[in-house]
Amino acid sequence: NAGVMQNPRHLVRRRGQEARLRCSPMKGHSHVYWYRQLPEEGLKFMVYLQKENIIDESGMPKERFSAEFPKEGPSILRIQQVVRGDSAAYFCASSPRSQGHSNQPQHFGDGTRLSIL
Amino acid sequence: GESVGLHLPTLSVQEGDNSIINCAYSNSASDYFIWYKQESGKGPQFIIDIRSNMDKRQGQRVTVLLNKTVKHLSLQIAATQPGDSAVYFCADSSNTGKLIFGQGTTLQVKP
């Protein structure tokens, strides 16, 4: 009964490179959420996706960041031209349906720690 | 804007004692709240949730209390164990699905 799977667990990039973070939701879950966590802080919402649809991207920076959840395969969070300030832990969560409609908790993966040199 | 906050950044308790972790929220329209536990190097782990039509909900060794009048909720852990040491977050779920997290309280359990 696999949980939310994220890879890689650790990712090191140099400034200006691209970072791709992957998330496979729990089996049967069709809703994916991405969050960012800085040290000593709570998680900050970035984006909410369903298969092939972005539902809410109000937490995504306007530039360099994008997310997708294709019909087949994992959800991808992509950060282009990374800068030092992108260093953080990025968490993915999934739920079987929209939390707002069913009040079902989101289940989280163990995150990707992104370090920018 | 909406915010969720915890009252104390760190709580230190003796093993076997009860722990109470507090959280305040600002959005009166919030209708669903979740407590998560996060251990070092891991993702948040679901502990317990509560809907706004309830005042109290109990799980195994944990109880969540919700006071909508003052927009406050608390997590009570009975007979705290060393394995309970972690950072605890309350989160408020909006009707759009996204979670608004508080800053977290670090629970330290002394043997």
Side-chain angles (χ1 to χ4, degrees):
Chain A
N1 190 16
V4 177
M5 302 301 293
Q6 291 189 248
N7 69 84
R9 289 298 310 278
H10 301 274
L11 182 61
V12 180
R13 284 288 178 266
R14 296 189 180 279
R15 282 178 295 172
Q17 292 184 321
E18 178 180 291
R20 281 184 178 239
L21 288 59
R22 295 174 185 79
C23 169
S24 296
M26 287 180 70
K27 187 176 181 180
H29 287 194
S30 58
H31 297 250
V32 166
Y33 312 79
W34 285 93
Y35 295 82
R36 176 164 62 178
Q37 185 178 35
L38 296 173
E40 311 299 325
E41 293 189 8
L43 283 73
K44 297 289 193 291
F45 169 80
M46 299 181 73
V47 62
Y48 161 34
L49 310 105
Q50 295 177 28
K51 288 282 187 181
E52 300 183 284
N53 282 306
I54 297 175
I55 307 302
D56 181 353
E57 57 182 347
S58 59
M60 287 279 271
K62 295 290 183 246
E63 298 177 347
R64 300 188 298 107
F65 285 71
S66 62
E68 63 176 7
F69 188 17
K71 187 176 180 180
E72 301 290 339
S75 175
I76 306 288
L77 179 67
R78 181 184 179 202
I79 311 173
Q80 295 178 288
Q81 299 173 330
V82 296
V83 301
R84 289 247 170 89
D86 297 332
S87 295
Y90 291 83
F91 291 95
C92 170
S94 71
S95 67
R97 59 175 66 87
S98 170
Q99 183 144 337
H101 294 104
S102 68
N103 286 343
Q104 297 195 37
Q106 294 174 21
H107 295 272
F108 284 81
D110 282 335
T112 293
R113 271 82 182 161
L114 177 63
S115 299
I116 308 302
L117 302 179
Chain B
E2 183 180 357
S3 66
V4 177
L6 286 170
H7 292 242
L8 286 174
T10 303
L11 176 65
S12 185
V13 300
Q14 204 70 39
E15 181 179 356
D17 287 352
N18 296 335
S19 303
I20 299 176
I21 301 172
N22 296 304
C23 182
Y25 62 95
S26 62
N27 186 357
S28 300
S30 299
D31 61 1
Y32 180 54
F33 304 89
I34 310 171
W35 280 98
Y36 285 95
K37 171 187 180 183
Q38 187 177 27
E39 296 174 289
S40 180
K42 294 190 176 182
Q45 176 187 355
F46 170 80
I47 301 174
I48 193 168
D49 57 359
I50 188 168
R51 300 177 188 178
S52 59
N53 61 354
M54 303 170 70
D55 297 322
K56 179 180 179 179
R57 191 168 188 214
Q58 288 184 288
Q60 187 176 11
R61 282 202 307 119
V62 295
T63 300
V64 55
L65 299 177
L66 175 62
N67 186 330
K68 294 178 288 294
T69 302
V70 295
K71 291 185 283 190
H72 178 274
L73 66 158
S74 66
L75 177 70
Q76 300 178 5
I77 304 173
T80 312
Q81 303 169 359
D84 295 327
S85 294
V87 181
Y88 289 81
F89 293 97
C90 62
D92 160 24
S93 176
S94 71
N95 57 8
T96 62
K98 69 183 182 185
L99 293 175
I100 307 294
F101 280 81
Q103 288 296 97
T105 289
T106 298
L107 177 63
Q108 299 173 338
V109 182
K110 296 178 288 187

PDB file of all heavy atoms in Angstrom, chain B residues 2 14 21 27-29 36 44-45 50 52-53 62 74-75 78 87-88 90 95 99 101 104:
ATOM      1  N   GLU B   2      -5.557  35.270   5.122  1.00  0.00           N
ATOM      2  CA  GLU B   2      -5.749  34.172   6.045  1.00  0.00           C
ATOM      3  C   GLU B   2      -4.429  33.765   6.666  1.00  0.00           C
ATOM      4  O   GLU B   2      -3.394  33.764   6.022  1.00  0.00           O
ATOM      5  CB  GLU B   2      -6.347  32.988   5.292  1.00  0.00           C
ATOM      6  CG  GLU B   2      -6.654  31.804   6.179  1.00  0.00           C
ATOM      7  CD  GLU B   2      -7.255  30.657   5.394  1.00  0.00           C
ATOM      8  OE1 GLU B   2      -7.479  30.828   4.189  1.00  0.00           O
ATOM      9  OE2 GLU B   2      -7.488  29.603   5.978  1.00  0.00           O
ATOM     10  N   GLN B  14       7.589  16.162  30.155  1.00  0.00           N
ATOM     11  CA  GLN B  14       8.172  14.950  30.704  1.00  0.00           C
ATOM     12  C   GLN B  14       7.448  13.737  30.119  1.00  0.00           C
ATOM     13  O   GLN B  14       6.221  13.772  29.902  1.00  0.00           O
ATOM     14  CB  GLN B  14       7.987  14.960  32.227  1.00  0.00           C
ATOM     15  CG  GLN B  14       8.969  14.115  32.995  1.00  0.00           C
ATOM     16  CD  GLN B  14      10.380  14.676  32.976  1.00  0.00           C
ATOM     17  OE1 GLN B  14      10.580  15.872  33.052  1.00  0.00           O
ATOM     18  NE2 GLN B  14      11.354  13.787  32.872  1.00  0.00           N
ATOM     19  N   ILE B  21      -0.963  21.302  22.545  1.00  0.00           N
ATOM     20  CA  ILE B  21      -0.407  22.196  21.532  1.00  0.00           C
ATOM     21  C   ILE B  21      -1.557  23.029  20.974  1.00  0.00           C
ATOM     22  O   ILE B  21      -2.603  22.484  20.607  1.00  0.00           O
ATOM     23  CB  ILE B  21       0.279  21.395  20.410  1.00  0.00           C
ATOM     24  CG1 ILE B  21       1.403  20.533  21.009  1.00  0.00           C
ATOM     25  CG2 ILE B  21       0.831  22.338  19.342  1.00  0.00           C
ATOM     26  CD1 ILE B  21       2.022  19.562  20.016  1.00  0.00           C
ATOM     27  N   ASN B  27      -9.491  32.764   9.577  1.00  0.00           N
ATOM     28  CA  ASN B  27     -10.593  32.737   8.615  1.00  0.00           C
ATOM     29  C   ASN B  27     -11.849  32.141   9.242  1.00  0.00           C
ATOM     30  O   ASN B  27     -11.912  30.931   9.490  1.00  0.00           O
ATOM     31  CB  ASN B  27     -10.180  31.946   7.383  1.00  0.00           C
ATOM     32  CG  ASN B  27     -11.223  32.003   6.277  1.00  0.00           C
ATOM     33  OD1 ASN B  27     -12.288  32.597   6.443  1.00  0.00           O
ATOM     34  ND2 ASN B  27     -10.930  31.378   5.158  1.00  0.00           N
ATOM     35  N   SER B  28     -12.849  32.961   9.462  1.00  0.00           N
ATOM     36  CA  SER B  28     -14.084  32.482  10.087  1.00  0.00           C
ATOM     37  C   SER B  28     -14.817  31.474   9.222  1.00  0.00           C
ATOM     38  O   SER B  28     -15.630  30.685   9.718  1.00  0.00           O
ATOM     39  CB  SER B  28     -15.019  33.663  10.355  1.00  0.00           C
ATOM     40  OG  SER B  28     -14.416  34.596  11.209  1.00  0.00           O
ATOM     41  N   ALA B  29     -14.536  31.467   7.921  1.00  0.00           N
ATOM     42  CA  ALA B  29     -15.211  30.552   7.003  1.00  0.00           C
ATOM     43  C   ALA B  29     -14.545  29.175   6.947  1.00  0.00           C
ATOM     44  O   ALA B  29     -15.061  28.268   6.292  1.00  0.00           O
ATOM     45  CB  ALA B  29     -15.237  31.155   5.609  1.00  0.00           C
ATOM     46  N   TYR B  36      -0.942  17.763  11.758  1.00  0.00           N
ATOM     47  CA  TYR B  36       0.102  16.927  11.184  1.00  0.00           C
ATOM     48  C   TYR B  36       1.301  16.879  12.127  1.00  0.00           C
ATOM     49  O   TYR B  36       1.586  17.840  12.842  1.00  0.00           O
ATOM     50  CB  TYR B  36       0.577  17.474   9.833  1.00  0.00           C
ATOM     51  CG  TYR B  36      -0.367  17.257   8.683  1.00  0.00           C
ATOM     52  CD1 TYR B  36      -1.277  18.252   8.315  1.00  0.00           C
ATOM     53  CD2 TYR B  36      -0.343  16.079   7.935  1.00  0.00           C
ATOM     54  CE1 TYR B  36      -2.140  18.067   7.241  1.00  0.00           C
ATOM     55  CE2 TYR B  36      -1.199  15.892   6.860  1.00  0.00           C
ATOM     56  CZ  TYR B  36      -2.096  16.884   6.524  1.00  0.00           C
ATOM     57  OH  TYR B  36      -2.944  16.700   5.463  1.00  0.00           O
ATOM     58  N   PRO B  44       5.027  15.679   6.363  1.00  0.00           N
ATOM     59  CA  PRO B  44       3.987  15.720   7.403  1.00  0.00           C
ATOM     60  C   PRO B  44       3.160  14.442   7.409  1.00  0.00           C
ATOM     61  O   PRO B  44       2.780  13.935   6.357  1.00  0.00           O
ATOM     62  CB  PRO B  44       3.142  16.938   6.987  1.00  0.00           C
ATOM     63  CG  PRO B  44       4.040  17.760   6.123  1.00  0.00           C
ATOM     64  CD  PRO B  44       4.906  16.787   5.412  1.00  0.00           C
ATOM     65  N   GLN B  45       2.889  13.971   8.606  1.00  0.00           N
ATOM     66  CA  GLN B  45       2.106  12.749   8.782  1.00  0.00           C
ATOM     67  C   GLN B  45       0.776  13.111   9.419  1.00  0.00           C
ATOM     68  O   GLN B  45       0.730  13.762  10.464  1.00  0.00           O
ATOM     69  CB  GLN B  45       2.887  11.779   9.674  1.00  0.00           C
ATOM     70  CG  GLN B  45       2.154  10.496  10.015  1.00  0.00           C
ATOM     71  CD  GLN B  45       2.914   9.659  11.032  1.00  0.00           C
ATOM     72  OE1 GLN B  45       4.033   9.999  11.412  1.00  0.00           O
ATOM     73  NE2 GLN B  45       2.324   8.587  11.489  1.00  0.00           N
ATOM     74  N   ILE B  50     -10.699  17.519  12.083  1.00  0.00           N
ATOM     75  CA  ILE B  50     -11.981  17.870  12.681  1.00  0.00           C
ATOM     76  C   ILE B  50     -12.721  18.832  11.761  1.00  0.00           C
ATOM     77  O   ILE B  50     -12.103  19.714  11.157  1.00  0.00           O
ATOM     78  CB  ILE B  50     -11.794  18.472  14.097  1.00  0.00           C
ATOM     79  CG1 ILE B  50     -13.152  18.642  14.797  1.00  0.00           C
ATOM     80  CG2 ILE B  50     -11.045  19.802  14.043  1.00  0.00           C
ATOM     81  CD1 ILE B  50     -13.021  18.939  16.284  1.00  0.00           C
ATOM     82  N   SER B  52     -15.865  21.707  11.168  1.00  0.00           N
ATOM     83  CA  SER B  52     -16.328  22.836  11.967  1.00  0.00           C
ATOM     84  C   SER B  52     -17.661  22.570  12.665  1.00  0.00           C
ATOM     85  O   SER B  52     -18.054  23.334  13.541  1.00  0.00           O
ATOM     86  CB  SER B  52     -16.456  24.083  11.093  1.00  0.00           C
ATOM     87  OG  SER B  52     -17.366  23.846  10.041  1.00  0.00           O
ATOM     88  N   ASN B  53     -18.349  21.503  12.299  1.00  0.00           N
ATOM     89  CA  ASN B  53     -19.612  21.188  12.977  1.00  0.00           C
ATOM     90  C   ASN B  53     -19.389  20.336  14.229  1.00  0.00           C
ATOM     91  O   ASN B  53     -20.341  19.847  14.841  1.00  0.00           O
ATOM     92  CB  ASN B  53     -20.577  20.481  12.023  1.00  0.00           C
ATOM     93  CG  ASN B  53     -20.041  19.169  11.496  1.00  0.00           C
ATOM     94  OD1 ASN B  53     -18.882  18.819  11.754  1.00  0.00           O
ATOM     95  ND2 ASN B  53     -20.867  18.446  10.778  1.00  0.00           N
ATOM     96  N   VAL B  62      -4.816  10.863  21.178  1.00  0.00           N
ATOM     97  CA  VAL B  62      -4.905  12.256  20.773  1.00  0.00           C
ATOM     98  C   VAL B  62      -6.352  12.732  20.771  1.00  0.00           C
ATOM     99  O   VAL B  62      -7.264  11.961  20.489  1.00  0.00           O
ATOM    100  CB  VAL B  62      -4.271  12.507  19.382  1.00  0.00           C
ATOM    101  CG1 VAL B  62      -2.786  12.246  19.407  1.00  0.00           C
ATOM    102  CG2 VAL B  62      -4.957  11.670  18.321  1.00  0.00           C
ATOM    103  N   SER B  74      -6.879  23.003  19.534  1.00  0.00           N
ATOM    104  CA  SER B  74      -5.763  22.448  20.283  1.00  0.00           C
ATOM    105  C   SER B  74      -5.655  20.959  20.019  1.00  0.00           C
ATOM    106  O   SER B  74      -6.633  20.297  19.663  1.00  0.00           O
ATOM    107  CB  SER B  74      -5.926  22.707  21.780  1.00  0.00           C
ATOM    108  OG  SER B  74      -7.043  22.005  22.278  1.00  0.00           O
ATOM    109  N   LEU B  75      -4.429  20.473  20.184  1.00  0.00           N
ATOM    110  CA  LEU B  75      -4.142  19.046  20.074  1.00  0.00           C
ATOM    111  C   LEU B  75      -3.646  18.572  21.428  1.00  0.00           C
ATOM    112  O   LEU B  75      -2.683  19.128  21.959  1.00  0.00           O
ATOM    113  CB  LEU B  75      -3.073  18.793  19.011  1.00  0.00           C
ATOM    114  CG  LEU B  75      -2.615  17.341  18.847  1.00  0.00           C
ATOM    115  CD1 LEU B  75      -3.730  16.501  18.224  1.00  0.00           C
ATOM    116  CD2 LEU B  75      -1.346  17.248  18.007  1.00  0.00           C
ATOM    117  N   ALA B  78      -2.086  12.362  25.058  1.00  0.00           N
ATOM    118  CA  ALA B  78      -2.067  11.738  26.385  1.00  0.00           C
ATOM    119  C   ALA B  78      -0.836  10.854  26.545  1.00  0.00           C
ATOM    120  O   ALA B  78      -0.364  10.232  25.586  1.00  0.00           O
ATOM    121  CB  ALA B  78      -3.332  10.901  26.570  1.00  0.00           C
ATOM    122  N   VAL B  87       7.809  18.015  15.159  1.00  0.00           N
ATOM    123  CA  VAL B  87       7.172  19.316  14.970  1.00  0.00           C
ATOM    124  C   VAL B  87       5.710  19.065  14.603  1.00  0.00           C
ATOM    125  O   VAL B  87       5.414  18.230  13.749  1.00  0.00           O
ATOM    126  CB  VAL B  87       7.866  20.130  13.857  1.00  0.00           C
ATOM    127  CG1 VAL B  87       7.183  21.488  13.698  1.00  0.00           C
ATOM    128  CG2 VAL B  87       9.339  20.312  14.164  1.00  0.00           C
ATOM    129  N   TYR B  88       4.810  19.779  15.255  1.00  0.00           N
ATOM    130  CA  TYR B  88       3.378  19.618  15.034  1.00  0.00           C
ATOM    131  C   TYR B  88       2.823  20.857  14.353  1.00  0.00           C
ATOM    132  O   TYR B  88       3.074  21.985  14.780  1.00  0.00           O
ATOM    133  CB  TYR B  88       2.662  19.355  16.362  1.00  0.00           C
ATOM    134  CG  TYR B  88       2.974  17.985  16.899  1.00  0.00           C
ATOM    135  CD1 TYR B  88       4.163  17.747  17.589  1.00  0.00           C
ATOM    136  CD2 TYR B  88       2.111  16.915  16.697  1.00  0.00           C
ATOM    137  CE1 TYR B  88       4.482  16.477  18.055  1.00  0.00           C
ATOM    138  CE2 TYR B  88       2.413  15.649  17.161  1.00  0.00           C
ATOM    139  CZ  TYR B  88       3.606  15.440  17.837  1.00  0.00           C
ATOM    140  OH  TYR B  88       3.922  14.185  18.302  1.00  0.00           O
ATOM    141  N   CYS B  90      -0.739  22.676  12.733  1.00  0.00           N
ATOM    142  CA  CYS B  90      -2.159  22.691  12.421  1.00  0.00           C
ATOM    143  C   CYS B  90      -2.299  23.252  11.006  1.00  0.00           C
ATOM    144  O   CYS B  90      -1.465  24.035  10.559  1.00  0.00           O
ATOM    145  CB  CYS B  90      -2.952  23.518  13.418  1.00  0.00           C
ATOM    146  SG  CYS B  90      -2.507  25.253  13.489  1.00  0.00           S
ATOM    147  N   ASN B  95     -11.941  25.909   0.960  1.00  0.00           N
ATOM    148  CA  ASN B  95     -12.865  25.172   0.092  1.00  0.00           C
ATOM    149  C   ASN B  95     -12.286  24.943  -1.300  1.00  0.00           C
ATOM    150  O   ASN B  95     -12.879  24.249  -2.113  1.00  0.00           O
ATOM    151  CB  ASN B  95     -14.212  25.888   0.007  1.00  0.00           C
ATOM    152  CG  ASN B  95     -14.065  27.315  -0.495  1.00  0.00           C
ATOM    153  OD1 ASN B  95     -12.982  27.721  -0.921  1.00  0.00           O
ATOM    154  ND2 ASN B  95     -15.138  28.078  -0.424  1.00  0.00           N
ATOM    155  N   LEU B  99      -4.125  23.678   1.669  1.00  0.00           N
ATOM    156  CA  LEU B  99      -3.945  23.760   3.110  1.00  0.00           C
ATOM    157  C   LEU B  99      -3.143  25.008   3.469  1.00  0.00           C
ATOM    158  O   LEU B  99      -2.150  25.328   2.815  1.00  0.00           O
ATOM    159  CB  LEU B  99      -3.217  22.525   3.630  1.00  0.00           C
ATOM    160  CG  LEU B  99      -3.963  21.186   3.532  1.00  0.00           C
ATOM    161  CD1 LEU B  99      -3.054  20.046   3.979  1.00  0.00           C
ATOM    162  CD2 LEU B  99      -5.228  21.216   4.372  1.00  0.00           C
ATOM    163  N   PHE B 101      -0.888  26.253   6.456  1.00  0.00           N
ATOM    164  CA  PHE B 101      -0.193  25.706   7.614  1.00  0.00           C
ATOM    165  C   PHE B 101       0.214  26.803   8.584  1.00  0.00           C
ATOM    166  O   PHE B 101       0.574  27.907   8.181  1.00  0.00           O
ATOM    167  CB  PHE B 101       1.074  24.969   7.180  1.00  0.00           C
ATOM    168  CG  PHE B 101       0.831  23.578   6.663  1.00  0.00           C
ATOM    169  CD1 PHE B 101       0.415  23.378   5.356  1.00  0.00           C
ATOM    170  CD2 PHE B 101       1.018  22.483   7.476  1.00  0.00           C
ATOM    171  CE1 PHE B 101       0.186  22.091   4.882  1.00  0.00           C
ATOM    172  CE2 PHE B 101       0.801  21.199   7.012  1.00  0.00           C
ATOM    173  CZ  PHE B 101       0.379  21.002   5.705  1.00  0.00           C
ATOM    174  N   GLY B 104       4.265  25.869  13.259  1.00  0.00           N
ATOM    175  CA  GLY B 104       4.724  24.635  13.886  1.00  0.00           C
ATOM    176  C   GLY B 104       5.167  24.812  15.321  1.00  0.00           C
ATOM    177  O   GLY B 104       5.707  25.854  15.700  1.00  0.00           O
TER     178      GLY B 104
END
